[in-house]
Amino acid sequence: MKRIDLKRSVPWSYDRDIVIVGGGPAGCAAAIGAARLGAKVLLIERSGCLGGLATSGFVRGFNPMSDGFRTLVGGFMLEIVEELYRRKALVPEATPEWWTSRSRQWIAFAGEELKLLLDEKLAEAGVEVLFFTSLAATDVDADQKSLKGIFINNIEGLSYVSGRCFVDGTGDALLAVQAGADYYENDDPMPSTLCSLHGGVDWSLSTYDDQQEGLLRAIADGFFKVPDRHLPGALKCTPYSSYMNAGHLFKLNCLTAAGRSMAMTEGRKLIQEYVAFYRKYVPGFANMELLASAEIPGVRAGRQVMGEYVLDYRDYCTRRKFPDQIGVFNNYIDMHVKDNSDEEFQRFCRSTAEIAPGEHFGLPYGITVARGWRNLWVGGRCASSDEAMQAAIRVQPAAMMTGQAAGAAAAISLETACSAAEVDTARLVTELRRQGAYLPQTDLSARLTQSQRKQAS
């Protein structure tokens, strides 16, 4: 690839304690976790709203938050769900039982209300937000493995932002990769899906089983250009609207600009095909109307930053708990099909075994700390894990737990003048509990749990 040198002078626009890149679930929770400890926080977001895939991506359902006996996911995530419930912005049938004592209950919500609520929460906490602002480059002290600042680009052009601590909430590990952190990139990741919003569905006539049965009949009739037996499906999210998560975009590399662009153009075609399918084959969907396609593709996987701990499949199988865990979770390994072959669909069916009610695994603090870096944390989809565990923790509740922990840890590191890996994790756990997290471990440790220098696979 040809290269060109660029040298120019740009304004130094901001100097803040903590700089967060990405305003999705992880980035918003990180901002809250830090700002509520008194840190001066700047969050940059390349779109015009907070929420990431929950809002811009039309993924209008939160994954289950209970193990069937109690709420596992606390902190900012629980705060958001409870406030949406008070505002009547959850699916009308939702009750607190859905997140307190139902183990496999998804929670659908109104996306516009979530946008507004996130705006309010971050403003109340004193977080500065810059919309329509993208990461352009990083300023790194390579010897110290420390970020000094970032270059951003927005309507005002290029400018420089300095900070003491940085959190990557981009999902794609954009900040960590540009800084030079170690990461793993999957050559054959789960495919993306472009979600969409719909009206005109009569949910009194339809069940989820109807969608699956209709899919098999449509495939038998040769309806689809690419027959795909894995259908996440459509879900009611307000009295008058539904969101659809359907149509895997197989073999598109969404870690390239060309691949992500094709995901949008091909995704819009797939949405039309699936709308026609629903109208013809699924009861209650005859008058289904496409209201909008998402502004960003639903990227499920791609890059994992190598952290001080790499959460792996063995941790899932043993339901491992950690003294420094910053969250507990019980999502199954949701590894979507990677092609439309019979073999891959059978693999998918075998791999979705659920954790039993009452069980959970821990999320150790080290998955949020970029390995060897003094002041760089990650949260959300790119947190440190192997492929199998990433399929379990890539979802919004886990993203908020890892993000809130990263933000709180960054604020503590500033106060105590220590590196990310040196944060007193007993203090961090105590602080996260104060912020509402459910962390049932009784034995705490001042030191984070570290992996042997293994690679994700």
Side-chain angles (χ1 to χ4, degrees), residues 39-172:
K40 294 181 179 179
V41 180
L42 175 69
L43 184 152
I44 70 167
E45 166 54 41
R46 60 186 175 183
S47 75
C49 68
L50 299 170
L53 283 174
T55 52
S56 297
F58 289 3
V59 183
R60 296 288 170 83
F62 296 130
N63 288 69
M65 296 168 55
S66 170
D67 65 357
F69 297 94
R70 62 153 297 125
T71 306
L72 296 181
V73 182
F76 188 54
M77 179 77 240
L78 180 59
E79 185 179 330
I80 289 296
V81 168
E82 290 179 337
E83 182 59 28
L84 288 173
Y85 173 72
R86 284 190 287 270
R87 297 184 183 195
K88 302 185 185 305
L90 299 181
V91 64
E93 294 80 8
T95 67
E97 179 188 6
W98 283 32
W99 56 90
T100 58
S101 57
R102 289 193 184 182
S103 62
R104 305 277 9 127
Q105 182 65 63
W106 282 71
I107 307 166
F109 56 88
E112 291 302 314
E113 286 292 334
L114 178 60
K115 290 180 186 178
L116 184 63
L117 179 56
L118 291 173
D119 285 341
E120 293 172 358
K121 289 292 186 181
L122 268 64
E124 289 169 4
V127 177
E128 294 176 87
V129 178
L130 288 181
F131 289 125
F132 304 112
T133 300
S134 299
L135 172 70
T138 57
D139 182 19
V140 172
D141 183 333
D143 292 335
Q144 295 294 318
K145 297 198 83 171
S146 177
L147 264 167
K148 297 189 293 183
I150 61 173
F151 295 89
I152 60 174
N153 187 46
N154 54 28
I155 196 170
E156 299 172 61
L158 280 171
S159 64
Y160 181 75
V161 175
S162 57
R164 259 63 68 196
C165 296
F166 296 81
V167 179
D168 189 329
T170 65
D172 295 314

Side-chain angles (χ1 to χ4, degrees), residues 3 57 72 96 105 166 225 265 355:
R3 298 279 181 176
L72 296 181
Q105 182 65 63
F166 296 81
K225 293 178 182 176
T265 57
I355 291 181

Side-chain angles (χ1 to χ4, degrees), residues 110-310:
E112 291 302 314
E113 286 292 334
L114 178 60
K115 290 180 186 178
L116 184 63
L117 179 56
L118 291 173
D119 285 341
E120 293 172 358
K121 289 292 186 181
L122 268 64
E124 289 169 4
V127 177
E128 294 176 87
V129 178
L130 288 181
F131 289 125
F132 304 112
T133 300
S134 299
L135 172 70
T138 57
D139 182 19
V140 172
D141 183 333
D143 292 335
Q144 295 294 318
K145 297 198 83 171
S146 177
L147 264 167
K148 297 189 293 183
I150 61 173
F151 295 89
I152 60 174
N153 187 46
N154 54 28
I155 196 170
E156 299 172 61
L158 280 171
S159 64
Y160 181 75
V161 175
S162 57
R164 259 63 68 196
C165 296
F166 296 81
V167 179
D168 189 329
T170 65
D172 295 314
L174 297 178
L175 175 61
V177 170
Q178 285 205 33
D182 294 333
Y183 69 99
Y184 163 70
E185 187 169 313
N186 194 326
D187 293 331
D188 185 25
M190 284 182 282
S192 302
T193 296
L194 188 66
C195 293
S196 49
L197 195 65
H198 302 268
V201 177
D202 186 347
W203 284 98
S204 69
L205 301 177
S206 189
T207 67
Y208 180 73
D209 287 343
D210 289 330
Q211 297 182 49
Q212 302 300 311
E213 292 168 5
L215 178 74
L216 296 180
R217 286 188 284 110
I219 290 174
D221 290 347
F223 181 86
F224 292 103
K225 293 178 182 176
V226 178
D228 177 3
R229 284 186 286 170
H230 181 186
L231 175 65
L235 188 67
K236 178 181 179 182
C237 49
T238 74
Y240 305 106
S241 68
S242 311
Y243 85 95
M244 183 176 73
N245 181 352
H248 290 99
L249 294 160
F250 294 123
K251 306 306 178 185
L252 281 182
N253 182 1
C254 282
L255 294 179
T256 68
R260 191 158 294 202
S261 298
M262 189 172 291
M264 297 301 294
T265 57
E266 293 302 311
R268 285 188 278 267
K269 294 176 186 177
L270 264 182
I271 287 170
Q272 295 288 348
E273 186 175 36
Y274 274 85
V275 169
F277 149 70
Y278 271 100
R279 287 173 176 167
K280 182 175 181 179
Y281 287 95
V282 183
F285 283 76
N287 296 314
M288 185 184 197
E289 178 185 5
L290 173 61
L291 301 178
S293 57
E295 300 169 20
I296 56 176
V299 178
R300 296 184 170 92
R303 294 181 183 137
Q304 270 31 77
V305 174
M306 293 292 99
E308 292 294 340
Y309 190 87
V310 180

Side-chain angles (χ1 to χ4, degrees), residues 353-375:
E354 297 179 358
I355 291 181
E359 294 185 339
H360 63 260
F361 54 86
L363 304 175
Y365 167 62
I367 70 173
T368 73
V369 179
R371 180 184 295 169
W373 282 74
R374 291 192 57 80
N375 65 344

Side-chain angles (χ1 to χ4, degrees), residues 255-457:
L255 294 179
T256 68
R260 191 158 294 202
S261 298
M262 189 172 291
M264 297 301 294
T265 57
E266 293 302 311
R268 285 188 278 267
K269 294 176 186 177
L270 264 182
I271 287 170
Q272 295 288 348
E273 186 175 36
Y274 274 85
V275 169
F277 149 70
Y278 271 100
R279 287 173 176 167
K280 182 175 181 179
Y281 287 95
V282 183
F285 283 76
N287 296 314
M288 185 184 197
E289 178 185 5
L290 173 61
L291 301 178
S293 57
E295 300 169 20
I296 56 176
V299 178
R300 296 184 170 92
R303 294 181 183 137
Q304 270 31 77
V305 174
M306 293 292 99
E308 292 294 340
Y309 190 87
V310 180
L311 196 66
D312 66 23
Y313 183 62
R314 290 170 295 180
D315 298 323
Y316 176 86
C317 293
T318 60
R319 313 296 192 251
R320 185 174 178 184
K321 315 302 189 296
F322 302 84
D324 65 325
Q325 61 195 12
I326 46 80
V328 294
F329 205 37
N330 72 332
N331 197 35
Y332 63 94
I333 294 177
D334 188 14
M335 181 71 68
H336 282 229
V337 293
K338 296 184 178 182
D339 58 47
N340 68 324
S341 67
D342 290 343
E343 294 79 10
E344 183 62 9
F345 183 68
Q346 292 305 317
R347 190 278 309 158
F348 163 73
C349 293
R350 292 192 302 269
S351 70
T352 56
E354 297 179 358
I355 291 181
E359 294 185 339
H360 63 260
F361 54 86
L363 304 175
Y365 167 62
I367 70 173
T368 73
V369 179
R371 180 184 295 169
W373 282 74
R374 291 192 57 80
N375 65 344
L376 175 59
W377 288 260
V378 297
R381 188 172 76 233
C382 61
S384 179
S385 62
D386 70 5
E387 183 184 27
M389 282 305 296
Q390 194 272 345
I393 67 170
R394 61 186 172 80
V395 296
Q396 294 175 56
M400 282 210 180
M401 288 189 287
T402 54
Q404 189 165 6
I412 291 172
S413 79
L414 282 178
E415 182 184 337
T416 56
C418 69
S419 71
E422 294 168 340
V423 166
D424 182 337
T425 55
R427 178 177 175 182
L428 174 61
V429 169
T430 300
E431 171 58 29
L432 291 174
R433 286 171 173 167
R434 188 187 71 81
Q435 294 192 18
Y438 172 62
L439 299 171
Q441 66 265 37
T442 56
D443 295 328
L444 303 183
S445 170
R447 298 289 299 170
L448 82 173
T449 304
Q450 289 181 294
S451 291
Q452 300 298 316
R453 292 302 192 228
K454 59 186 178 182
Q455 297 295 316
S457 58

